[in-house]
Amino acid sequence: MYWGGQNDSDEHTPSNGPQSTPARLDLTRKVLTSTGVTPPGGFEPPTTREREQCVAPGRALPGQASGFHSSLADCVMEMLLRRSSILSKRCIPAVLALPRNLSSLVTGDAAFLEAVDIYYDKAAALASPTPDILAQIKGCNNILKVQFPLKCSDGTVELIEAYRAQHSHHRMPVKGGIRMAPNVDAEETMALAALMTFKCALVDIPFGGAKGGIKIGGNDPYPAKYSTGEKEAIIRRYTSELVKKNFIGPAIDVPAPDYGTGSQEMAWIKDTYEHLQSTDINGTACVTGKPLEEGGIHGRQEATGLGVFFCLREFLDDEGLISKLQMKPGIEGKTIIVQGFGNVGQHTIDCIEDAGGRIIAIAEKDGGVVDETGKGLNIKEVKDYFKRKGTITGFPKGSTVEDSSKILELPCDVLIPAALESQIHSGNASFIQARIIAEAANGPVTPAAEAILEKRGVVILPDLLLNAGGVTVSYFEWLKNLNHIHFGRMSRRMEERGKRVFLEALELEFGNGNRLSDELRRELVKGNTEVDFVWSGLEETMLVAWDKVKAVAAKKGCNFRTAAYLIAIERIATCYKVSGIFP
């Protein structure tokens, strides 16, 4: 039903994408339906009182920036949201999962790509490069869109849409993961590619930024309808499209796992590439995150979570920083909430628990679990339950919360969003009670939410730094593949032999006939394995980058995110300055 009548004039339509009243109403119905809530009064036309409660054309809607010009369509949409009483809670995450150019009309939060640009511009205002170089650094160089048919196991044919964005070629190859999800689009892919550019520059990894996405699953937010054979067909066809367009190769573009993909998908990519490019002797390096048997590297699985832990540990151990929050130094005893129980979330949790932190709640897509003992969840038992049941909801030694978004609002010392982007937004930022947010996911906090949180004194440790552990160890895997030899193979036995000679000399000179125990001797003599090199290199990379971010933030008087972007911008600009611009 069209409600606008003659009053729904275009003169008040927002300039960032006009939407007619029927289109707005259709969007709002989708939002409310996706939350499982039907507003009292349903979707009937607004009453006179409801019209009076809605903002007049030309004024801002709740959660939107001032100056946003609203039409009667906006008022009608707001009315439906008021009826549902979920504008600040269950509605906004659903809206943010809709197409990016529409979601911000409801919530007032920037779309993902826009959010990255906002963070970039904030840092660019403090940077030394000229505007033309800043514009070059900001822009996305290439975006590839492909479509291809998938013959499903039931005999039907489905059209698959996929993307690969190459944000910056200031360093080659470009590097970035591939995600499989229903909400993949060009803007999300470009935003993630931009983050990869700045992330690599921040931690001094010699890659440009890239990202890939395969849109699957229809309207199901967590698709499971594809068989293993169908997923393999999708990945292999996508890889062949990248090969044809020269969008993959050890010296060109090196993918990795992301949301919805893992080591198995990377193995398929490697195999497909090597079949199509059989003369490339370095073909194994065309992708990272592979199984160990296919040229992967020890420690890659834990890398992102371990990187998150290293930076969080350094912040919590800094007496000068932690005292500003009126907290005691150290991770031991701190209460932690983690959103996401996938690879990143689980390994982050493991490191925190080993260091004495207390995991008091875990949020997942289908609900969450909250500790009731006061001692923290027993993570081993949670993992065992998850393996048996495929979910953490119903865990017997904790309280199950069906609406996992509410878990983010519980009191804690540290909140770690390790899921998807835009999970903390203008609708729930005021309810967040954590004193520190450690961004393990990409873009989990919107700019509007960041402003609200910082006014309340919440410290945000940015994704640009915290989740750089994955690409760091991917870099090590790429180097391993190019060298065709694993780390430690040429040195381990030599190290052990040298250590044994040294210990024997000490015992002979100072032992008075006494010898070290066999157990202690084995520990002291042990040479470095591949995982030792990987974790040492990862810790060095993360700590050097953290020290730099901390110093720049103090010097410029900005937050850690702006400092991280600023470091990345300056390094990329220096690359252009030294290398020049071709031709």
Side-chain angles (χ1 to χ4, degrees), residues 172-175 205-207 249-254 282 284-290 295 297 471-484 487:
M172 292 293 285
V174 293
K175 187 85 179 71
I205 299 294
F207 293 141
I252 300 169
D253 189 336
V254 182
N282 294 318
T284 303
C286 74
V287 63
T288 60
K290 304 179 292 293
I297 193 168
V471 71
T472 299
V473 177
S474 280
Y475 171 51
F476 300 158
E477 182 180 334
W478 181 73
L479 291 175
K480 173 185 176 178
N481 296 156
L482 293 180
N483 284 286
H484 300 269
F487 295 106

Side-chain angles (χ1 to χ4, degrees), residues 352-546:
I352 290 171
E353 187 181 45
D354 289 344
R358 288 192 293 128
I359 307 298
I360 62 169
I362 302 171
E364 260 284 88
K365 57 182 179 286
D366 59 345
V369 60
V370 179
D371 172 54
E372 293 180 326
T373 67
K375 298 178 181 179
L377 294 167
N378 185 313
I379 300 305
K380 183 182 183 304
E381 293 182 0
V382 174
K383 283 185 174 181
D384 290 343
Y385 181 88
F386 182 74
K387 287 179 182 178
R388 294 196 312 271
K389 303 288 188 178
T391 179
I392 61 173
T393 60
F395 177 65
K397 295 185 179 180
S399 175
T400 294
V401 177
E402 292 185 4
D403 184 359
S404 61
S405 66
K406 294 185 181 299
I407 292 178
L408 306 186
E409 301 169 8
L410 297 176
C412 65
D413 294 320
V414 184
L415 171 61
I416 304 177
L420 293 173
E421 64 268 11
S422 305
Q423 298 299 298
I424 301 173
H425 42 74
S426 62
N428 66 1
S430 297
F431 301 98
I432 300 296
Q433 298 185 64
R435 288 186 276 182
I436 302 164
I437 295 177
E439 296 182 331
N442 286 312
V445 179
T446 68
E450 181 178 78
I452 294 170
L453 291 165
E454 289 191 334
K455 284 182 181 178
R456 297 174 50 224
V458 178
V459 173
I460 300 174
L461 304 179
D463 54 351
L464 212 60
L465 173 61
L466 260 68
N467 66 26
V471 71
T472 299
V473 177
S474 280
Y475 171 51
F476 300 158
E477 182 180 334
W478 181 73
L479 291 175
K480 173 185 176 178
N481 296 156
L482 293 180
N483 284 286
H484 300 269
I485 190 170
H486 66 73
F487 295 106
R489 184 170 184 174
M490 301 288 286
S491 61
R492 182 181 176 188
R493 302 299 174 181
M494 183 173 61
E495 287 178 20
E496 291 180 350
R497 189 160 48 246
K499 289 177 180 179
R500 275 196 297 270
V501 170
F502 180 68
L503 286 180
E504 289 170 0
L506 287 177
E507 288 172 338
L508 182 63
E509 186 71 23
F510 305 107
N512 295 323
N514 297 313
R515 288 175 54 85
L516 297 173
S517 68
D518 290 343
E519 183 179 355
L520 181 57
R521 177 180 288 272
R522 281 193 298 270
E523 184 65 27
L524 293 173
V525 167
K526 178 180 174 291
N528 290 312
T529 63
E530 181 170 82
V531 74
D532 294 323
F533 282 107
V534 167
W535 286 355
S536 175
L538 174 59
E539 185 171 15
E540 169 70 5
T541 301
M542 301 304 293
L543 268 56
V544 168
W546 162 248

Side-chain angles (χ1 to χ4, degrees), residues 19 27 106 145 148 182 257 290 339 349 392 499:
Q19 292 289 317
L27 169 63
V106 180
K145 177 183 178 181
F148 52 85
K290 304 179 292 293
Q339 181 199 34
I349 286 170
I392 61 173
K499 289 177 180 179

Side-chain angles (χ1 to χ4, degrees), residues 1 76 94 138 189 192 206 210 231 240 277 419 443 472 479 503 572 578:
M1 181 184 294
V76 171
K138 182 179 181 179
T189 308
L192 291 165
K231 287 187 72 175
S240 71
Q277 302 287 348
T472 299
L479 291 175
L503 286 180
I572 298 169
V578 174

Side-chain angles (χ1 to χ4, degrees), residues 46-119:
T47 64
T48 301
R49 179 171 178 77
E50 285 175 327
R51 283 177 180 265
E52 291 173 352
Q53 290 177 338
C54 289
V55 295
R59 293 179 59 194
L61 295 175
Q64 290 176 328
S66 59
F68 184 95
H69 296 290
S70 58
S71 64
L72 180 59
D74 296 309
C75 297
V76 171
M77 184 164 61
E78 183 200 354
M79 175 275 300
L80 288 177
L81 295 173
R82 284 183 186 277
R83 283 182 182 178
S84 67
S85 300
I86 56 173
L87 181 61
S88 297
K89 297 286 184 179
R90 296 171 61 189
C91 180
I92 289 180
V95 176
L96 292 172
L98 294 173
R100 274 79 183 167
N101 61 331
L102 297 179
S103 64
S104 60
L105 295 179
V106 180
T107 67
D109 285 275
F112 191 17
L113 180 59
E114 183 185 356
V116 174
D117 289 343
I118 289 171
Y119 291 140

